[in-house]
């Protein structure tokens, strides 16, 4: 922890923390505050109820800094800031809050727009995500980029050379076919899979995280929610992991697959695309959502076009740069810079 953070009392407001964000919060010694972002607590008339809860929770330890994990926790963060401590509010930009606030004009969207004007800084997981907040936060607000970490289990399992993998399986990992504004399993993937099937007649598509989608491809296996500890096994049986959402800030699933030597393919709708582009890992990026182009790239991967050495480069880089320890250090540094402003 940087020197200026050691003297700060930090609160981490969350609904249910993402493992990577939990690593960040623990690394700065934050006190966790669970907030269930239900409609009742978001209604303006009930703010006094939430205020009393917050005052009670922090009566012995009022924070100097409040970290809001995404948009929904901004509401209790601002209430705590206004009526209890006057602490600085730092937003973690890792969801669709910016898109929602721009696309809607309901009570929640209007409140979010007001809350965003009050933040003192932000940590974003990708430039793609930061750009969705343009015009919603003051221009002088410092925003720092920190990539989220992969899970520790993938650090251990990823040691050594990438294993042999089944060449007939494409996988998708999604928490549901749709989540708010983010369409994670687009219907046009059907065309891509049918094109691939001409070369791989027994092509299989395995989808984890959901039991349904709009896809009509005949050989889809829905795996539902897979326990986190079992995800390394899922990736070890995958030839290539697909992810072509309309928008996804920086899905860690792609990086965890890479850490295990499982190649991925993604497009400009993910924050991972910019990471791959900076590394010149063009084998795993598609500039357009073109089914024929994606099918061509996927077939090259499944045919063994990627060498063991290249896969090891991907794995070693991800395990080094996105380890929990390294990501936590970068978050500490970013938060320290923001609080100096």
């Amino acid at each position: 922890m940087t020197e200026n953070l050691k003297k700060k009392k930090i609160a981490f407001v969350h609904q249910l923390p993402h493992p990577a964000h939990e690593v960040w919060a623990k690394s700065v010694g934050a006190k966790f505050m669970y907030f269930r972002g239900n409609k009742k607590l978001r209604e303006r008339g009930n703010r006094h109820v939430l205020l009393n809860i917050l005052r009670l929770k922090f009566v012995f330890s009022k924070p100097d800094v409040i970290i809001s994990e995404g948009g929904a926790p901004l509401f209790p963060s601002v209430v705590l800031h206004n009526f209890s401590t006057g602490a600085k509010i730092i937003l973690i930009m890792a969801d669709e809050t910016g898109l929602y606030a721009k696309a809607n004009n309901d009570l929640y969207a209007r409140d979010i727009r007001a809350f965003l004007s009050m933040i003192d800084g932000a940590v974003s997981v990708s430039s793609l995500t930061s750009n969705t907040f343009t015009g919603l936060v003051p221009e002088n607000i410092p925003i720092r980029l920190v990539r989220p970490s992969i899970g520790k289990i993938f650090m251990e399992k990823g040691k050594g050379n990438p294993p042999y993998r089944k060449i007939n399986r494409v996988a998708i990992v999604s928490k549901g076919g749709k989540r708010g504004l983010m369409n994670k399993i687009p219907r046009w993937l059907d065309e891509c899979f049918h094109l691939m099937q001409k070369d791989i007649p027994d092509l299989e598509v395995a989808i984890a995280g959901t039991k349904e989608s709009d896809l009509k491809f005949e050989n889809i296996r829905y795996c539902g929610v897979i326990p986190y500890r079992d995800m390394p096994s899922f990736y070890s049986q995958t030839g290539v992991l697909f992810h072509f959402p309309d928008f996804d800030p920086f899905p860690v699933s792609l990086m965890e697959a890479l850490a295990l030597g499982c190649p991925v393919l993604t497009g400009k709708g993910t924050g991972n695309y910019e990471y791959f582009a900076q590394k010149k890992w063009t084998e795993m990026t598609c500039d357009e959502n073109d089914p024929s182009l994606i099918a061509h790239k996927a077939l090259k991967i499944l045919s063994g076009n990627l060498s063991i050495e290249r896969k090891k480069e991907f794995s070693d880089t991800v395990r080094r740069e996105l380890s929990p320890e390294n990501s936590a250090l970068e978050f500490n540094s970013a938060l320290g810079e923001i609080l100096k402003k």
Side-chain angles (χ1 to χ4, degrees):
M1 191 186 306
T2 57
E3 187 63 34
N4 62 320
L5 294 181
K6 290 181 180 179
K7 301 176 182 179
K8 303 289 186 183
K9 292 180 179 179
I10 302 174
F12 177 62
V13 188
H14 66 92
Q15 294 187 92
L16 186 62
H18 186 287
H21 305 156
E22 186 176 20
V23 166
W24 291 351
K26 287 181 176 178
S27 74
V28 295
K31 183 175 181 179
F32 282 60
M33 192 191 87
Y34 172 74
F35 165 69
R36 184 181 180 185
N38 60 49
K39 185 177 180 181
K40 286 290 184 183
L41 286 180
R42 289 205 299 258
E43 289 178 357
R44 293 174 180 178
N46 290 325
R47 289 186 182 182
H48 67 283
V49 176
L50 180 59
L51 170 59
N52 289 334
I53 295 173
L54 293 175
R55 279 178 173 161
L56 179 64
K57 193 168 185 70
F58 287 96
V59 67
F60 297 114
S61 179
K62 293 181 179 179
D64 304 304
V65 180
I66 304 166
I67 300 173
S68 175
E69 191 193 28
L74 267 177
F75 170 50
S77 298
V78 168
V79 173
L80 183 61
H81 161 87
N82 284 349
F83 297 99
S84 186
T85 68
K88 288 191 174 183
I89 301 172
I90 310 300
L91 174 67
I92 293 179
M93 293 178 170
D95 60 17
E96 62 187 64
T97 293
L99 291 178
Y100 188 91
K102 289 179 179 179
N104 295 276
N105 199 37
D106 54 19
L107 177 61
Y108 180 60
R110 294 198 299 273
D111 277 351
I112 286 293
R113 291 197 290 269
F115 299 155
L116 287 172
S117 69
M118 299 175 65
I119 67 173
D120 298 281
V123 173
S124 179
V125 296
S126 65
S127 299
L128 176 76
T129 309
S130 302
N131 291 340
T132 66
F133 287 86
T134 301
L136 295 173
V137 300
E139 291 184 1
N140 62 333
I141 291 299
I143 300 174
R144 296 293 180 267
L145 180 67
V146 181
R147 307 294 188 190
S149 66
I150 62 175
K152 288 187 177 180
I153 187 174
F154 298 93
M155 293 291 294
E156 292 300 318
K157 299 284 187 180
K159 292 179 179 178
N161 289 327
Y164 168 80
R165 39 194 74 256
K166 296 173 67 174
I167 65 168
N168 69 325
R169 178 180 289 180
V170 173
I172 298 172
V173 174
S174 172
K175 293 181 179 178
K178 289 189 177 182
R179 179 184 169 207
L181 299 175
M182 300 187 289
N183 184 359
K184 292 197 174 183
I185 309 179
R187 184 176 291 180
W188 54 259
L189 282 175
D190 273 329
E191 182 180 349
C192 179
F193 297 142
H194 282 119
L195 288 170
M196 293 176 64
Q197 196 177 40
K198 294 177 181 178
D199 289 78
I200 306 177
D202 62 342
L203 181 70
E204 175 184 302
V205 177
I207 301 180
T210 184
K211 293 184 177 180
E212 61 180 4
S213 75
D214 292 332
L215 296 179
K216 305 299 181 184
F217 185 68
E218 57 271 21
N219 197 16
I220 293 179
R221 182 167 65 88
Y222 290 99
C223 305
V225 177
I226 298 176
Y228 193 61
R229 65 181 180 276
D230 295 335
M231 287 306 293
S233 176
F234 178 80
Y235 293 134
S236 71
Q237 300 175 60
T238 296
V240 59
L241 181 67
F242 273 25
H243 198 48
F244 291 93
D246 292 340
F247 172 77
D248 208 347
F250 194 92
V252 178
S253 58
L254 294 180
M255 315 313 286
E256 291 177 334
L258 276 181
L260 297 178
C262 175
V264 306
L265 269 179
T266 194
K268 291 183 176 180
T270 70
N272 311 70
Y273 176 94
E274 64 193 50
Y275 180 89
F276 296 155
Q278 289 167 1
K279 302 288 185 188
K280 293 182 170 50
W281 292 354
T282 55
E283 300 98 324
M284 297 184 291
T285 59
C286 295
D287 293 341
E288 304 292 337
N289 290 338
D290 180 343
S292 60
L293 171 64
I294 295 169
H296 176 70
K297 282 206 162 188
L299 287 170
K300 288 182 70 175
I301 291 173
L302 295 179
S303 66
N305 185 263
L306 277 179
S307 67
I308 290 291
E309 291 73 24
R310 186 65 162 161
K311 291 179 185 178
K312 191 173 187 305
E313 177 189 341
F314 300 153
S315 176
D316 289 348
T317 301
V318 168
R319 290 174 59 252
R320 181 179 66 254
E321 296 187 358
L322 301 186
S323 69
E325 294 78 14
N326 191 57
S327 183
L329 285 174
E330 292 188 1
F331 180 78
N332 271 254
S333 177
L335 188 57
E337 288 180 14
I338 291 170
L339 295 177
K340 284 181 182 178
K341 299 294 182 179

